[in-house]
Amino acid sequence: MRALIQHQFGNPTEVLAVEETDTPEPGPGEVLVRTTLSAIHNHDLWTVSGNYGFKPEMPAKAGTEAVGVVDALGEGVEGLEVGQRVASAGTFGVWSESFVAKAAALIPVADAIPDEVAAQLVSMPFSAISLLDSLDLNEGDWLVQNAANGAVGRLVAQLAKGRGINVVGLVRREDGVAELAEQGIGRVVATDSEGWKDRVAEVTGGAPIRVGVEQVGGQAAGDMLDLLAEDGTLVVFGAMASPKLELTSGQIIFKQATIRGFWGSRVSATMSAEDRTRLMGELFARLSDGTITLPVDATFGLDHIADAVAAHFTPGRVGKVLLRP
C-alpha cells in the first residue's frame, strides 16, 4: 500500500513523502481499515516536526484521524463487520491507504453522516467538548478564547451556546469577525483594532470573565489574563504563535489566577466510559440539530502533502484540510 512516511523530524513539507509499504495485518482485537479520507490537525504536524508530546520512532507514518471502511477483522473482534464505515481518532498512521486500529477505538458512522464530516468527527470536536466540560462553567458564565476562528475555537463557541455559556472570541484581524459572523458566531473582537480590550468589556457588559482559553502564546497570553476576573483560570490549549507565555508575576498574584494546561489526548485516555458516552451523545445531538458545523476547506491526494500543509496554514481558512489516498 501507499503511505506518507518520514525518516526524520522536520518541516512536514520536506520530510513527508509517499512510499510503498506492506499492508498491515490486524492482530487480536484489531481491525484493518481502508482509508477514505483523513484530516490534518495541528498536533499531527507538530508530531512530524518533533514538537509534540508524542514522538514516534523513525521511520514513521503520520496522521491520527480518518474515516474508512472495515477490510478485515482480527481475532476476537465483535460488533463490527467487513464493509462497515467507521471513524477513528488517536490511531497513529492513518495518512495511508490502509491502517490498523484497535476495535474499541473505532466509531461506527451512520449513513446520514458524510465522509467529509466523519473524517473530522472525533478529534477536534471531542477535544472541544471535553475542554468545555472541564471548565466547570455554569449557565450564564463568561469565558474568553483566542484563535476563535480556528477549528476548536469555532466548536467551543457553538457548543457553549447550547449550554448557555457566554463566549467572547478573539481573532487577530478584523476579517475574522466577519468570517465567524457568516457561521452564526458573534461576540468576536479583533485584537488588531485600537481599544479592543474596552470592546471586550462592552460585549460582556462588565460581567466577570471566569475562564480564558489560550491557544496562541506570547503576549496574547498576557493580554488574555488581563481580561480575567479575580480567581480566574487561564487554560493553555495550544501555541500557534509562540511556545512561551508572556505573563507577569503581578498578573498572577493580584488576580489570584490559576494557570493550567489541557491536553486532549491525555484527558480522553483517562476519561470514564460514562463521560465519553455522555459527551459523544451531546456531540451527535449538536451535529444533528445544526448547532455545530464541520466545514471542509480543501482535499488533497497524499502526493500533494506539501500543498495540503500550505493550505492548512493559510490565514483565514474556514474549514478543515483533508487527505484522500
Side-chain angles (χ1 to χ4, degrees):
M1 70 172 190
R2 299 167 73 248
L4 283 168
I5 305 288
Q6 65 178 116
H7 292 266
Q8 63 186 35
F9 294 115
N11 187 327
T13 64
E14 299 172 356
V15 301
L16 285 172
V18 175
E19 297 183 12
E20 291 286 341
T21 186
D22 292 337
T23 301
E25 295 289 336
E30 295 181 336
V31 176
L32 176 65
V33 179
R34 184 174 71 256
T35 310
T36 303
L37 288 171
S38 53
I40 295 179
H41 299 305
N42 283 334
H43 63 259
D44 294 321
L45 301 178
W46 293 336
T47 300
V48 173
S49 65
N51 295 313
Y52 196 56
F54 165 66
K55 290 181 171 58
E57 293 184 7
M58 298 291 126
K61 296 177 184 175
T64 53
E65 182 168 22
V67 63
V69 177
V70 174
D71 256 358
L73 304 174
E75 180 183 349
V77 173
E78 298 179 352
L80 295 171
E81 58 185 37
V82 172
Q84 185 174 8
R85 203 160 57 114
V86 292
S88 176
T91 299
F92 185 68
V94 302
W95 291 354
S96 56
E97 291 182 330
S98 296
F99 62 91
V100 164
K102 297 291 186 183
L106 296 175
I107 299 173
V109 177
D111 292 341
I113 298 178
D115 287 332
E116 290 77 9
V117 172
Q120 51 175 319
L121 179 62
V122 183
S123 186
M124 292 298 103
F126 195 74
S127 288
I129 199 168
S130 299
L131 170 63
L132 188 62
D133 200 60
S134 76
L135 301 180
D136 193 29
L137 292 173
N138 300 313
E139 185 174 350
D141 284 342
W142 284 88
L143 75 86
V144 61
Q145 61 171 347
N146 53 25
N149 50 346
V152 171
R154 288 186 296 101
L155 288 163
V156 166
Q158 292 169 334
L159 290 164
K161 184 177 181 180
R163 292 186 171 202
I165 297 169
N166 300 302
V167 178
V168 180
L170 304 179
V171 294
R172 288 188 283 181
R173 52 193 178 80
E174 192 65 38
D175 290 349
V177 177
E179 291 166 2
L180 288 171
E182 290 177 357
Q183 299 174 60
I185 299 173
R187 297 171 173 167
V188 180
V189 176
T191 59
D192 65 352
S193 58
E194 187 174 350
W196 67 268
K197 290 183 181 179
D198 294 332
R199 174 61 183 146
V200 171
E202 292 174 8
V203 170
T204 64
I209 301 177
R210 289 188 55 201
V211 174
V213 178
E214 211 303 295
Q215 302 186 66
V216 177
Q219 182 57 48
D223 288 340
M224 179 167 288
L225 188 51
D226 283 341
L227 301 174
L228 299 188
E230 285 189 14
D231 299 312
T233 300
L234 185 68
V235 180
V236 181
F237 184 80
M240 295 178 64
S242 172
K244 297 182 180 180
L245 305 178
E246 295 182 22
L247 310 172
T248 68
S249 58
Q251 287 177 300
I252 300 169
I253 293 169
F254 300 126
K255 283 183 178 285
Q256 299 190 92
T258 299
I259 317 293
R260 68 174 178 88
F262 182 92
W263 186 12
S265 296
R266 179 64 57 84
V267 172
S268 178
T270 58
M271 183 178 292
S272 69
E274 293 79 8
D275 282 344
R276 185 183 302 277
T277 299
R278 172 176 60 85
L279 294 179
M280 285 303 300
E282 184 176 349
L283 271 182
F284 282 121
R286 298 292 78 82
L287 274 170
S288 298
D289 66 18
T291 299
I292 62 174
T293 56
L294 298 174
V296 172
D297 181 82
T299 302
F300 296 85
L302 297 180
D303 292 301
H304 299 285
I305 183 60
D307 293 333
V309 171
H312 175 86
F313 287 117
T314 298
R317 175 176 59 85
V318 174
K320 183 62 67 176
V321 175
L322 304 179
L323 294 173
R324 188 186 302 277

